[in-house]
Amino acid sequence: MTDAPKKLFIKTYGCQMNVYDSERMAEALGAKGYVTTEVAEEADMVLLNTCHIREKAAEKVYSDLGRLRPLKQAKPDLKIGVAGCVAQAEGEEILRRMPLVDLVVGPQSYHRLPEMVEAKGKVIDTDFPEEDKFEHLPERKTLKGPTAFLTVQEGCDKFCAFCVVPYTRGAEVSRPVGRLLTEARDLVSRGVREITLLGQNVNGYHGEGEGGAWGLARLLREMAGIEGLERLRYTTSHPNDMDDDLIAAHAELPQLMPYLHLPVQSGSDRILKAMNRKHTAAEYLHLIGRIRAARPDILLSSDFIVGFPGETEEDFEATMDLVRQVHFGQAFSFKYSARPGTPAAEKPELPAEVADARLYRLQALITEQQRAAQQAMVGREVGVLYEKTGRLPGQMVGKSDHLHAVHVTDPSGQVGELVRVRITASSTNSLAAERISA
Ligand code: SAH
Ligand code: SF4
Ligand code: F3S
């Protein structure tokens, strides 16, 4: 008897590491005969790869699960799984709140998924196993275009006072250099031209390589030597781990793209201290100066939290000041969300209206800077890697070196081509450009 392939629907929440993990989980289940579908209604298995970073993100999972009820009633064999950081943080609680869930798997044990889906009854695995999950996963086969993520480091030992990641992802672990180079070469041999190295603390990378532990800069240099790999990026970095070698790599390596996401969270020393970030605003600004000296056209991005417990108007103004001094090309700002089990959650919260008003002001300033940075690109020549065709005929869409979305009129353009363009206009969320070379 030959079975029709079973269909798997995966929804991914949260950060890029979850995007990477979802791809790997699909591969793992592919070995059990599952093919992915974009349509939840036709799935034999629905997997939610979840995020616990803010309350809203976590609660969204429960409302989405609620919406799966009619599907499960219509198709009792449908398997429903919860993976990722909510799975890790809430474990059995998920089964209690949502009896329709069949399996719960944490981010460090999803290589065990193929066995779990075959188990009868409810299964839960939120271990931090001894074995390296990446060594127990099949090769990557289903690539989506010329760009790929590659997780090089996981977990976090920094314990910022607001953050769940050290609890959901566990302690910092770096994957060995050899494995990463093999995975990168394999990606390139299958058409990938841009790789983004991922880690919760990616610039803290210290994987085992020839002669001992390698830092991120050395790993990037080695990857830059891979024939056909045209672009490298990495995210997310902590300011305290931006060492001289990594800054130098930005000056040295043409493959390393001029864009850096470097979260600062606040511009107030008092709040930075309460957040356990272990640096001051002045130190951050000094670091930005050194990075810009190495790579003058680098576009900087950041994360901010407003309304952290105890944040005064003066603290918030210090954040606004820092933003005014840096001129970010992009930034993400979030209203503080108290997370169970984190030290900050013990402290009294600010009134919601105060935090909302500050968030609004910060976002307005960031939007202004983002528009200015985009506008400043007009007339400039940059590289664009085509990722897909655009909505208009003859249009290609890709990312610039500075990670701007760019629309190019190029009827002969091909997905996967890396071309030189001149930016002609800036609109709300993208740039328009004309191709100037092969
Ligand atoms: N490892 C990265 C960030 C991981 S989480 C780093 O250290 O920067 C991504 C962003 O979510 C954080 O930078 C922070 O701005 C935000 N964030 C994390 N916990 C939060 C919380 N409890 N409330 C609001 N925002 C939060
Ligand atoms: Fe969370 Fe801080 Fe670690 Fe980033 S560095 S993942 S914000 S604890
Ligand atoms: Fe969210 Fe977990 Fe990533 S909490 S941000 S999915 S590491």
Side-chain angles (χ1 to χ4, degrees), residues 57-294:
E59 282 308 311
K60 179 99 180 46
V61 173
Y62 287 102
S63 58
D64 285 354
L65 283 170
R67 249 178 271 131
L68 288 171
R69 240 177 240 126
L71 267 190
K72 179 90 171 182
Q73 273 154 9
K75 202 191 228 178
D77 284 347
L78 173 70
K79 279 216 182 274
I80 297 182
V82 178
C85 292
V86 175
Q88 190 63 45
E90 299 186 0
E92 282 179 24
E93 175 64 18
I94 298 171
L95 297 178
R96 264 195 297 277
R97 258 180 88 175
M98 285 287 162
L100 84 175
V101 173
D102 299 289
L103 65 92
V104 174
V105 61
Q108 301 309 336
S109 34
Y110 64 74
H111 55 293
R112 296 172 178 167
L113 254 180
E115 300 150 42
M116 293 175 74
V117 290
E118 301 209 324
K120 299 255 181 300
K122 312 260 172 197
V123 269
I124 173 162
D125 189 339
T126 52
D127 284 358
F128 287 104
E130 278 292 310
E131 78 266 14
D132 175 357
K133 68 176 179 236
F134 296 114
E135 301 310 312
H136 295 262
L137 287 165
E139 234 184 41
R140 299 171 72 180
K141 290 196 201 70
T142 49
L143 295 170
K144 294 187 190 109
T147 64
F149 290 138
L150 174 51
T151 294
V152 303
Q153 178 277 329
E154 273 200 282
C156 183
D157 299 338
K158 295 260 191 296
F159 291 92
C160 300
F162 49 80
C163 184
V164 294
V165 171
Y167 313 98
T168 62
R169 293 273 170 166
E172 255 181 77
V173 178
S174 295
R175 296 177 66 194
V177 171
R179 302 279 176 190
L180 296 174
L181 291 173
T182 304
E183 196 169 326
R185 284 195 197 98
D186 180 58
L187 289 169
V188 172
S189 75
R190 280 179 298 123
V192 168
R193 306 190 74 187
E194 170 179 320
I195 294 182
T196 301
L197 306 184
L198 298 181
Q200 267 92 21
N201 228 317
V202 72
N203 60 344
Y205 177 82
H206 54 270
E208 217 26 64
E210 218 181 280
W214 287 28
L216 186 66
R218 193 163 172 198
L219 180 66
L220 284 165
R221 282 195 195 97
E222 196 70 19
M223 290 215 171
I226 297 175
E227 186 80 33
L229 181 51
E230 312 282 352
R231 290 172 144 190
L232 286 164
R233 306 180 187 277
Y234 60 92
T235 199
T236 297
S237 299
H238 192 289
N240 290 356
D241 290 329
M242 256 349 265
D243 62 15
D244 292 344
D245 201 21
L246 188 52
I247 295 173
H250 279 277
E252 258 168 54
L253 298 177
Q255 292 89 342
L256 188 53
M257 290 292 104
Y259 180 96
L260 180 64
H261 182 60
L262 197 58
V264 62
Q265 317 297 355
S266 169
S268 153
D269 290 344
R270 219 175 55 82
I271 295 298
L272 285 168
K273 190 159 199 284
M275 286 176 163
N276 194 29
R277 291 292 290 187
K278 298 200 168 87
H279 64 75
T280 62
E283 282 161 352
Y284 183 82
L285 292 170
H286 181 69
L287 175 61
I288 296 297
R290 286 165 57 219
I291 295 165
R292 280 190 167 140

